[in-house]
Amino acid sequence: MAIISISRQVAALGDEIATALADKIGYAFIDRKRIEKRIVELGFPQSKLSKYDERKPGFFASLVKDRDEYLNYLQYAILDEADKGNCILIGRGSSSILEDIPNLISLRFVSKDSVRLERLKKEFSWNDKQAQVRIDESDSNRKGFHKSFFNMESEDPQHYLMTLNTSILSIDESVRLIESIIKFHITSEKEAEGKKQVSQRLKGQRLVNQLIFDFHININFLRAVVDGDVITLQGVADSQGLVERAVQTAAKLLPTCEIRSAISIVQDFKTY
């Protein structure tokens, strides 16, 4: 029926509500560990995951190819889960990756700082200082992650269908509210169009990953926009020959599709 994406502040009960909601409506809960495991299975080194996973990359980490590889694997993992439908995805930029999908219910959970402080103190037996450090660190990392990878402000409400304040709403109240949104907001038409769009985005991301990781075609910021049987490649290359190779390879991989190029050629463009 729906794809639910959740963005949350630390100690705003995002994971607890997602777990309760999944149990209540029978959806699959795609948590942090499942996404991390999938990214590693796809080929990203486990040893490098901590540099990028829901945190702003450090200066040098943001300059290397690992950053773009992580993003390509992350987008594929999120789209692959969404393609199965009836799932709840939490964090990892899922709201950005799936933005504008018709059957997406994008939610953000927030809470007063004083309430978050008390929750962390109770859960970990911390003092005020320890809890505040955790809040500041988490808020900074999540804000930096979304800005670095998706150029968006994670706190901006325009990216979400609704923001829920869990200082006021209980877990049970939040679950019942989300249930009602699914019932009245998601139609069969939205579901069908959403499934189509997710499938197209997944097809495009699969092609991008094949070109980059299997055929080692070094086009920066490579993206494949799928519109029916027409696929347009976008990105930045340093030669026309590289563009032609990408188009020819894509055509062999997807012989029933028309492959077009909107790749820019910048000969002095270098990555580090």
Side-chain angles (χ1 to χ4, degrees), residues 95-161:
S95 298
S96 298
I97 294 168
L98 298 170
E99 194 162 19
D100 298 324
I101 294 295
N103 64 328
L104 174 68
I105 294 176
S106 183
L107 305 170
R108 179 164 172 80
F109 295 110
V110 300
S111 195
K112 290 181 180 179
D113 287 350
S114 59
V115 173
R116 295 199 287 157
L117 194 76
E118 291 303 316
R119 285 172 180 164
L120 288 172
K121 287 168 61 180
K122 181 178 180 181
E123 181 178 357
F124 297 105
S125 299
W126 285 345
N127 58 35
D128 284 353
K129 183 178 180 180
Q130 289 172 311
Q132 189 61 56
V133 167
R134 176 71 178 109
I135 288 173
D136 293 343
E137 180 182 57
S138 177
D139 288 354
S140 176
N141 274 334
R142 291 176 181 179
K143 183 176 181 179
F145 173 84
H146 285 84
K147 189 66 176 177
S148 176
F149 284 103
F150 306 106
N151 194 31
M152 67 164 281
E153 298 292 339
S154 58
E155 299 174 354
D156 190 340
Q158 70 175 309
H159 297 294
Y160 309 101
L161 176 65

Side-chain angles (χ1 to χ4, degrees), residues 76 80 199 201-211:
Y76 185 90
D80 191 37
S199 179
R201 292 190 192 185
L202 178 60
K203 183 177 182 178
Q205 190 61 55
R206 182 183 293 113
L207 176 61
V208 166
N209 286 14
Q210 287 178 306
L211 293 175

Side-chain angles (χ1 to χ4, degrees), residues 65 68-69 211-213 215-222 235-239 242-243 245-246 263 269-272:
K65 287 178 60 179
D68 296 329
E69 289 182 9
L211 293 175
I212 293 174
F213 303 126
F215 292 90
H216 308 289
I217 298 177
N218 187 27
I219 293 177
N220 297 285
F221 317 118
L222 183 60
V236 180
D238 61 8
S239 71
L242 195 59
V243 174
R245 184 183 167 207
I263 298 171
F269 184 86
K270 300 293 182 184
T271 57
Y272 297 89

Side-chain angles (χ1 to χ4, degrees), residues 16-31:
E16 292 86 346
I17 293 170
T19 299
L21 179 64
D23 290 342
K24 185 75 179 295
I25 64 178
Y27 277 30
F29 176 29
I30 315 302
D31 63 6

Side-chain angles (χ1 to χ4, degrees), residues 176-188:
R176 286 190 279 120
L177 184 57
I178 298 167
E179 275 191 288
S180 67
I181 293 172
I182 296 172
K183 180 179 179 181
F184 293 106
H185 180 65
I186 301 300
T187 64
S188 57

Side-chain angles (χ1 to χ4, degrees), residues 45-113:
Q46 176 76 50
S47 60
K48 297 179 180 179
L49 198 61
S50 62
K51 294 181 181 179
Y52 304 99
D53 195 50
E54 210 160 57
R55 66 175 57 244
K56 180 182 178 180
F59 177 75
F60 289 107
S62 66
L63 296 177
V64 299
K65 287 178 60 179
D66 292 343
R67 177 201 177 279
D68 296 329
E69 289 182 9
Y70 169 80
L71 180 57
N72 280 319
Y73 285 131
L74 172 65
Q75 290 179 146
Y76 185 90
I78 294 292
L79 289 166
D80 191 37
E81 294 293 349
D83 191 51
K84 301 168 187 175
N86 292 2
C87 63
I88 302 169
L89 296 142
I90 191 162
R92 274 74 204 163
S94 57
S95 298
S96 298
I97 294 168
L98 298 170
E99 194 162 19
D100 298 324
I101 294 295
N103 64 328
L104 174 68
I105 294 176
S106 183
L107 305 170
R108 179 164 172 80
F109 295 110
V110 300
S111 195
K112 290 181 180 179
D113 287 350

